[in-house]
Amino acid sequence: MVLWDDTFRRVAADYPDVETESVLVDTMAAKFVLHPEDLSVVVASNLKCGYPF
């Protein structure tokens, strides 16, 4: 597992009222285009350097 993912899950556990979801970068790109109104905050690593987010 990537250190970023592990750290995110540990910190997220301290905030049970915040909804979190882990998705592949291609799926996230589709969500940005198709349903941007469903997103309020996006936290992402830079593991996929070819994407602008």
Side-chain angles (χ1 to χ4, degrees):
M1 181 174 295
V2 178
L3 176 61
W4 166 261
D5 295 334
D6 185 43
T7 303
F8 180 81
R9 286 186 185 97
R10 282 189 282 120
V11 172
D14 293 337
Y15 301 91
D17 55 323
V18 176
E19 181 181 338
T20 63
E21 178 182 14
S22 180
V23 297
L24 296 174
V25 67
D26 294 336
T27 302
M28 196 68 216
K31 286 183 178 215
F32 275 123
V33 173
L34 299 174
H35 302 287
E37 68 279 359
D38 293 343
L39 307 169
S40 57
V41 175
V42 175
V43 179
S45 66
N46 192 21
L47 293 176
K48 305 294 184 193
C49 299
Y51 290 89
F53 48 83

